[in-house]
Amino acid sequence: MQGEGRNELNPMDFLAGEGEMAQRIRAFDWASHPFGPPADWPQSLRAALSICLNSAFPTAIYWGPELRLLYNDAWAPIPGPRHPAALGQPAREVWSDIWHIIDPQFAQVIEQGQGLFAQEQMLPMRRHGIEEETWWNYSFTPLRDADGGITGVFNSGSEITENVIQRRNAEFLVAANNAFRTAPSPDQALRFSLAKLGELLGACRVGLRERTQIEGQVAFAMIYEWCAEGTPPSAEIAMPSQVGVSLQEKILSGEVTAAALSDADLEPASREYLERVGVVQGLGVPWVENGEVTSVIGVQWHKERVISAFDISAIERVLETTMGWIERERGRERERVMASEIDHRARNLLAVVQSVTRMTTGDDVAQVKADLEGRFAALSRVHGLLGQKRWVNVTFQELAEEELAPFGPDVFDRIEMSGPQVALSPTEAQVLAMVLHELTTNALKHGFLSTSDGRLALSWALPDTSRLDVCWHETGVPTNGPAVSDGQEGYGSVLLHEVVKGQLGGEMRREVGPEGIRFDLSYPRQADTPGPSPSEVLRPSPEAPAPARSVMIVEDDVIIAMDLAATLEEGGFARFGEFRDSQSALARLESERPDLAVLDWTLAEGTSEPVAAWLRENGIPFVVVSGQELSGAEDDPRRGAPLLIKPISYTALLSTLDRL
């Protein structure tokens, strides 16, 4: 039979299919809609909708004078929660948030009758109650009715937000990396990166904070913060009580943490913090080192936004680059400081060696040589011990054991040591090492080490945290020999008294009696309590009229200061005084003035800059000595003065002072 086997034509076949939108359109009550029943729809709409519903590409149709919406399954996610209510609704209502952008585009297509292609079009949609920055590629194509008039617009396209953000973030990271490579300082590179990150994310504040401890609590101190125009800076310190304990705990666990005023379960303290700093949303991205959060980048916004994985990725990359750059710069700075410090310490040690050499005298060359070797060995031992401990936490007991160790392990059977663990500063360690060496040398010659019956009780105590008392008590030794002679003291005996007094600001006493020989040493340990300057010159001047030219010495190493004083007197200068710090020197200058001065650049208690400023103001010339290359501001009052690098040439010093 003719026509047998052919499908019967159904006017509703254009709505055939099992897709969601095909079913929704078939089930929709079109009778009360301006379109009317689908059976009455014009053929041009039927044909366009058939193509739309069977396309795998996101496609929609805007039809009629109100541009009411029909769309396929692939297009349904685009309006977000507006689907499925968007079906059959006017475009102006569905897209009220972006109507100001797409309305002129619809008008152009309808008026000109030509298609339009929008590439990388930014549409600020509010699909989830928050305005999002979305990017699209799409086309508008005019649809005509049977009479040739334009009655609708065929729309196809796709969202490219991820692509745009990825490319933009990549461009930003390239610029940030270039900034870090070419910036003249870490500070400028950090400022540039945070500012560009703030602009990229549309934020009002971006800050880098570093972990610290305040009143026993973990806190985050601001390193640098970028603020958008019109936004004041936030607090320098962020405490748990301010930002909320739960948020702080999340950050400290290494978790990327966000908070917004719209969060129903937001902690009251966090809500108060956001309101106080004038933002509605914040994000914290932590940096973890060795399992512990050490820094965090905080980003804040004046209006709430959707925070994407791309946003967090960009922040993390900036944080990674920033922290890596900061660590490299800190490493370079540590190397620079270490090299400078090694140079400084080496020069100072050479200066001490020079002074010890010049001040060691005697009639017997062999004995002088032995004394020098012993004193140099003592300095070497303490420097070796300090080096092992990285110049920190050398204890008094370690120092004493190091000095007595060369006499063999059996010697400790005759020594009783007692005292608490006392960590010494490098200055304390070096001075006490010289003192212990002189006491040990004296004991070897005349004391407990010179006889098998000798014993030593070495004890130390901290009556309070600001003072150290040391007792060296020898028993079983002769008390009427050279060790207790009242004759002229040698360099070693003078050193015991003058070094303790001048370098440590303490005192040392010797007692001789039936119970043996006892030395008691006591000195203050407070860093802000400088000791007095030596009150007597090591080598007394001959009984002759004092030279007219007096010289002030500001030097924190008492051995070097003592040697300088003796050298200057031998060179025909008068001693004005030796001072270990600027404070004591300025106090003396209030009542007397020297003719000349010798200033060490760096002192244990600060620098000699205040003294140099006073001397310049009062027209008194001075020489600067230093154990390292000079640093400091260009307007430093010491710049321009004659400079001698330690260990100095005393001939050059005397010649320079003569010229001045």
Side-chain angles (χ1 to χ4, degrees):
M1 183 171 62
Q2 188 176 7
E4 192 173 40
R6 296 176 58 186
N7 294 328
E8 294 291 332
L9 293 178
N10 187 332
M12 298 300 292
D13 280 349
F14 74 96
L15 293 179
E18 298 302 320
E20 175 194 357
M21 291 311 300
Q23 295 181 50
R24 287 187 178 277
I25 293 174
R26 290 198 298 267
F28 194 87
D29 180 13
W30 295 106
S32 59
H33 190 274
F35 284 3
D40 297 337
W41 291 357
Q43 184 58 37
S44 56
L45 175 57
R46 292 175 177 228
L49 186 55
S50 178
I51 295 173
C52 171
L53 292 176
N54 288 282
S55 174
F57 197 73
T59 308
I61 294 173
Y62 295 91
W63 188 264
E66 296 181 296
L67 296 175
R68 291 179 176 268
L69 191 57
L70 300 167
Y71 51 92
N72 66 5
D73 290 359
W75 196 91
I78 290 177
R82 306 175 199 187
H83 166 74
L87 179 62
Q89 297 301 308
R92 178 188 291 273
E93 296 179 10
V94 175
W95 297 121
S96 59
D97 46 354
I98 59 172
W99 188 246
H100 61 289
I101 297 174
I102 62 175
D103 179 35
Q105 295 175 340
F106 280 128
Q108 176 183 332
V109 171
I110 294 171
E111 291 172 3
Q112 298 181 3
Q114 296 180 351
L116 175 147
F117 178 65
Q119 188 172 18
E120 291 192 5
Q121 174 71 60
M122 200 284 279
L123 299 176
M125 293 185 180
R126 298 183 64 88
R127 292 181 288 191
H128 302 280
I130 300 173
E131 184 176 289
E132 302 174 61
E133 178 185 327
T134 66
W135 296 83
W136 303 82
N137 286 343
Y138 58 87
S139 66
F140 285 160
T141 304
L143 291 173
R144 299 178 182 273
D145 59 17
D147 298 329
I150 297 174
T151 57
V153 174
F154 192 87
N155 166 227
S156 64
S158 60
E159 184 172 2
I160 57 168
T161 302
E162 291 187 2
N163 296 337
V164 171
I165 293 178
Q166 280 184 309
R167 187 186 71 235
R168 189 171 61 188
N169 288 359
E171 293 171 351
F172 159 73
L173 291 172
V174 169
N177 288 333
N178 285 336
F180 276 105
R181 283 192 292 266
T182 60
S185 69
D187 181 68
Q188 291 191 23
L190 179 62
R191 289 171 182 267
F192 173 87
S193 294
L194 294 189
K196 292 302 180 183
L197 182 61
E199 295 171 4
L200 177 74
L201 300 177
C204 60
R205 292 191 191 97
V206 181
L208 176 63
R209 293 181 179 271
E210 195 168 45
R211 182 172 178 165
T212 186
Q213 284 279 339
I214 297 179
E215 298 177 355
Q217 293 189 68
V218 173
F220 286 92
M222 187 70 73
I223 296 178
Y224 175 72
E225 183 179 49
W226 169 84
C227 297
E229 185 177 356
T231 302
S234 60
E236 289 295 320
I237 302 293
M239 300 286 289
S241 58
Q242 296 173 317
V243 302
V245 175
S246 61
L247 287 183
Q248 185 98 324
E249 287 177 348
K250 288 183 180 179
I251 288 289
L252 291 176
S253 71
E255 180 182 343
V256 175
T257 304
L261 291 178
S262 61
D263 296 342
D265 58 348
L266 187 64
E267 188 176 356
S270 302
R271 185 177 302 279
E272 292 172 6
Y273 172 77
L274 293 176
E275 292 174 345
R276 184 168 62 254
V277 297
V279 300
V280 301
Q281 188 175 28
L283 176 71
V285 180
W287 175 255
V288 180
E289 289 183 7
N290 300 320
E292 183 178 83
V293 173
T294 59
S295 303
V296 61
I297 279 188
V299 186
Q300 297 177 345
W301 290 271
H302 283 314
K303 60 180 181 179
E304 195 167 347
R305 59 168 284 160
V306 174
I307 300 173
S308 70
F310 298 104
D311 296 335
I312 296 173
S313 176
I315 298 171
E316 288 178 333
R317 290 290 300 276
V318 168
L319 186 56
E320 180 181 1
T321 302
T322 299
M323 298 312 298
W325 210 96
I326 288 175
E327 185 54 37
R328 286 196 298 272
E329 288 303 307
R330 285 176 175 172
R332 291 171 184 168
E333 180 63 17
R334 284 194 296 268
E335 290 176 2
R336 187 193 68 77
V337 171
M338 185 180 297
S340 176
E341 183 63 21
I342 290 172
D343 182 61
H344 185 205
R345 288 173 178 170
R347 291 180 183 275
N348 272 346
L349 179 60
L350 288 173
V352 171
V353 168
Q354 182 185 50
S355 297
V356 169
T357 303
R358 287 173 50 82
M359 296 164 64
T360 300
T361 61
D363 298 328
D364 185 340
V365 174
Q367 184 58 51
V368 171
K369 180 180 177 181
D371 288 345
L372 285 175
E373 287 178 347
R375 287 162 184 160
F376 294 162
L379 287 172
S380 175
R381 284 192 295 273
V382 71
H383 273 255
L385 189 58
L386 286 167
Q388 293 173 17
K389 293 298 191 77
R390 298 187 178 182
W391 289 77
V392 294
N393 295 331
V394 171
T395 67
F396 182 84
Q397 182 167 342
E398 289 172 329
L399 204 62
E401 290 174 347
E402 188 77 14
E403 181 60 37
L404 293 164
F407 298 100
D410 293 343
V411 74
F412 289 97
D413 294 337
R414 297 193 285 143
I415 300 173
E416 180 184 347
M417 291 190 187
S418 62
Q421 286 286 100
V422 179
L424 304 173
S425 70
T427 299
E428 288 178 291
Q430 293 180 89
V431 173
L432 291 175
M434 293 294 291
V435 170
L436 289 170
H437 172 73
E438 296 303 325
L439 290 173
T440 303
T441 301
N442 190 65
L444 181 63
K445 293 178 180 179
H446 316 291
F448 87 98
L449 291 173
S450 66
T451 172
S452 60
D453 296 328
R455 297 288 186 273
L456 170 65
L458 178 58
S459 61
W460 59 95
L462 290 169
D464 54 58
T465 57
S466 62
R467 191 168 194 86
L468 178 64
D469 293 340
V470 179
C471 177
W472 173 287
H473 189 193
E474 299 180 46
T475 56
V477 298
T479 57
N480 57 354
V484 292
S485 170
D486 292 330
Q488 183 177 4
E489 294 182 316
Y491 170 69
S493 300
V494 173
L495 182 78
L496 292 179
H497 295 283
E498 290 298 332
V499 168
V500 171
K501 185 176 184 178
Q503 194 83 342
L504 297 178
E507 57 183 356
M508 189 163 189
R509 299 183 306 278
R510 182 182 64 170
E511 294 181 3
V512 180
E515 297 181 356
I517 303 173
R518 174 172 172 157
F519 290 87
D520 287 295
L521 180 156
S522 182
Y523 69 92
R525 304 193 71 224
Q526 290 181 327
D528 57 354
T529 308
S533 302
S535 59
E536 298 178 0
V537 180
L538 182 62
R539 298 172 184 169
S541 303
E543 295 181 1
R549 295 169 298 172
S550 61
V551 182
M552 164 186 273
I553 298 172
V554 181
E555 164 66 61
D556 60 340
D557 192 300
V558 71
I559 298 175
I560 298 175
M562 290 160 61
D563 188 33
L564 280 172
T567 300
L568 292 177
E569 284 197 333
E570 291 173 358
F573 292 92
R575 169 186 168 274
F576 178 82
E578 297 81 59
F579 306 88
R580 293 182 56 235
D581 57 89
S582 293
Q583 183 180 0
S584 58
L586 292 172
R588 177 69 178 277
L589 290 172
E590 291 180 358
S591 57
E592 295 182 70
R593 296 189 179 190
D595 298 307
L596 301 160
V598 178
L599 309 180
D600 188 10
W601 182 272
T602 303
L603 305 173
E605 301 294 332
T607 74
S608 59
E609 181 179 353
V611 179
W614 191 97
L615 295 173
R616 281 210 181 276
E617 185 177 344
N618 289 274
I620 297 174
F622 58 89
V623 177
V624 174
V625 297
S626 177
Q628 60 185 341
E629 296 300 321
L630 301 188
S631 59
E634 291 297 325
D635 59 352
D636 191 300
R638 294 167 294 182
R639 291 192 178 275
L643 171 66
L644 299 175
I645 299 295
K646 294 178 181 178
I648 65 175
S649 163
Y650 286 95
T651 301
L653 174 62
L654 293 172
S655 174
T656 302
L657 290 173
D658 279 332
R659 289 199 310 272
L660 290 178

